[in-house]
Amino acid sequence: MKKPLIFFAACAILLSANTLGAQKKASGKKNYKLVLRMSHVFAPNEQLTKSLTIVCDNIAKRTNGAIEIQQYPQGQLATYKDGVEQVVQGAKFISVEDPSYLGDYVADFNALVGPMLYSNFDQYEYLIRTDLVKRMIKEVEDKHRIKVLALDYIFGFRSLMTNKVIKTPADLKGMKIRVPGSQLFINTLNAMGASATPLPFSETISAVQQGVVDGLEGTMDAYGVNGSSEVAKKMALTNHFLGTCGVYINADLFNSIPKEYQIIIQEEFTKGAAHMISEVSKNYNTAKAKLESQGITFNEVDHDAFAKAVAPVYANMKGTTPGIVDKFRAELAKMPKK
């Protein structure tokens, strides 16, 4: 009789332990709370900030407040290289930056957002979903613990904003143009004929007013809302970069989040990118017309001349896979025609 009693006692102990474990797990989920700070340089009334506000609100709602993302626009917290470094170091932090800042870790990201590579949003959207770019995303996560939640918070094509009509690279000779502190931006604007001048955006408008720089570069979406149109009255439609941001979080931190919340976070950032692209596309002509009514003028440029001028930027990219730009272009050639 002793053996059955021992068996049933052992089962009772095991069942009790499993029950306590399940209760502890359930209790842990119930009490789970994570506050993440999210940083970028965009103004509160720019579309990226608006779209990310919706993302944060939806995540908080769908997780019943378990995941709280606090958004800090206009460079209130670390941005650019420093922001991505926060992610690498494992901070409870989300960095929203141009993918070229991932180029410090996996150099091919510099080529992915290189100059004069795209003529429309759809091309970029197609390319980032190819196996080629998926391998880059996996590499930056595996080697550097950067989880890429999105690469396509697209805010438009970047063009030059000055007080002089710019049509060719020769027109930029001797002009100081503000750029963010990305080596890709610096190299590209220098190749275009300007003298690239890295500055925090918080200092840029006053720098143009005071003649420290002769202009800046940016998108139509930003032009009318971040103060640029107050100091630079002409936009040369160079479209030298597709303006886009990625969303990055530390991979180990993300993996520590309960699975159901991971799914929600990913879904909402994916939907937020689609929302932003839709809004930017829809509002482009309206924004341009509004600026024209305020006396801002726009002009086309010699795109072939600028494309030729920036070609060496790709050749001089350090650490990229040999022929990576040709591989990107080959992938784009496979894109189905609409």
Side-chain angles (χ1 to χ4, degrees):
M1 293 293 291
K2 288 183 178 181
K3 288 184 177 180
L5 286 173
I6 293 171
F7 173 76
F8 286 119
C11 289
I13 292 169
L14 182 61
L15 179 63
S16 176
N18 288 340
T19 302
L20 287 171
Q23 288 175 344
K24 184 177 180 181
K25 184 177 181 181
S27 174
K29 179 185 169 186
K30 181 179 179 181
N31 296 324
Y32 186 87
K33 176 72 176 181
L34 177 64
V35 178
L36 297 164
R37 297 187 299 172
M38 181 170 66
S39 178
H40 57 78
V41 299
F42 291 74
N45 50 354
E46 289 186 64
Q47 189 56 54
L48 181 135
T49 310
K50 294 176 183 178
S51 292
L52 287 177
T53 296
I54 295 171
V55 171
C56 296
D57 290 345
N58 286 348
I59 289 172
K61 183 177 180 180
R62 291 183 63 190
T63 64
N64 295 314
I67 306 295
E68 179 185 348
I69 301 177
Q70 300 172 347
Q71 183 175 196
Y72 292 84
Q74 289 187 306
Q76 297 176 58
L77 300 180
T79 55
Y80 302 139
K81 289 177 179 287
D82 294 338
V84 179
E85 182 63 21
Q86 288 282 310
V87 171
V88 173
Q89 294 299 323
K92 294 178 180 178
F93 188 89
I94 296 175
S95 175
V96 182
E97 296 294 349
D98 185 280
S100 67
Y101 290 98
L102 296 183
D104 291 339
Y105 303 92
V106 174
D108 288 348
F109 280 100
N110 281 316
L112 179 67
V113 288
M116 304 286 183
L117 186 56
Y118 308 101
S119 57
N120 56 62
F121 296 177
D122 290 343
Q123 290 178 329
Y124 178 76
E125 286 284 286
Y126 175 82
L127 188 58
I128 63 173
R129 286 163 176 76
T130 61
D131 289 341
L132 180 60
V133 177
K134 286 178 181 178
R135 286 195 293 270
M136 292 163 50
I137 293 170
K138 185 177 187 301
E139 182 179 357
V140 82
E141 179 172 343
D142 290 348
K143 292 184 177 179
H144 304 285
R145 312 312 297 151
I146 301 172
K147 169 73 176 177
V148 177
L149 293 170
L151 281 174
D152 54 343
Y153 275 75
I154 296 174
F155 47 95
F157 281 98
R158 301 181 75 99
S159 290
L160 295 171
M161 294 173 270
T162 68
N163 287 304
K164 172 185 174 182
V165 174
I166 305 295
K167 292 186 176 181
T168 70
D171 295 328
L172 282 169
K173 186 176 181 180
M175 295 186 70
K176 294 180 179 179
I177 301 295
R178 179 269 173 185
V179 294
S182 160
Q183 195 62 48
L184 175 63
F185 278 68
I186 294 168
N187 292 345
T188 297
L189 267 294
N190 284 337
M192 289 170 64
S195 176
T197 306
L199 285 174
F201 193 81
S202 59
E203 301 174 15
T204 298
I205 302 305
S206 61
V208 179
Q209 286 176 320
Q210 295 166 15
V212 175
V213 293
D214 301 302
L216 63 159
E217 50 85 61
T219 65
M220 191 71 67
D221 177 60
Y223 196 17
V225 296
N226 66 7
S228 301
S229 62
E230 298 173 15
V231 296
K233 299 299 183 181
K234 301 181 188 300
M235 179 180 255
L237 299 173
T238 49
N239 291 355
H240 51 275
F241 284 130
L242 175 66
T244 185
C245 277
V247 180
Y248 322 120
I249 187 172
N250 181 269
D252 297 320
L253 172 62
F254 184 78
N255 292 337
S256 74
I257 298 171
K259 185 67 176 180
E260 54 266 52
Y261 296 157
Q262 292 181 32
I263 294 170
I264 290 169
I265 292 168
Q266 183 62 75
E267 286 178 348
E268 291 302 328
F269 275 106
T270 299
K271 288 195 296 185
H275 172 267
M276 180 169 171
I277 292 169
S278 174
E279 290 298 298
V280 168
S281 299
K282 181 174 66 178
N283 295 331
Y284 178 88
N285 289 330
T286 301
K288 184 179 180 183
K290 182 178 178 181
L291 288 166
E292 287 175 328
S293 72
Q294 297 170 352
I296 306 299
T297 60
F298 301 87
N299 67 270
E300 298 294 336
V301 302
D302 185 341
H303 280 278
D304 289 341
F306 278 106
K308 183 178 180 180
V310 301
V313 173
Y314 291 106
N316 295 328
M317 282 181 181
K318 295 180 180 179
T320 54
T321 300
I324 187 62
V325 179
D326 292 334
K327 292 178 181 180
F328 287 154
R329 289 180 174 138
E331 290 292 338
L332 289 173
K334 301 175 188 175
M335 182 176 170
K337 303 295 182 183
K338 286 191 175 181

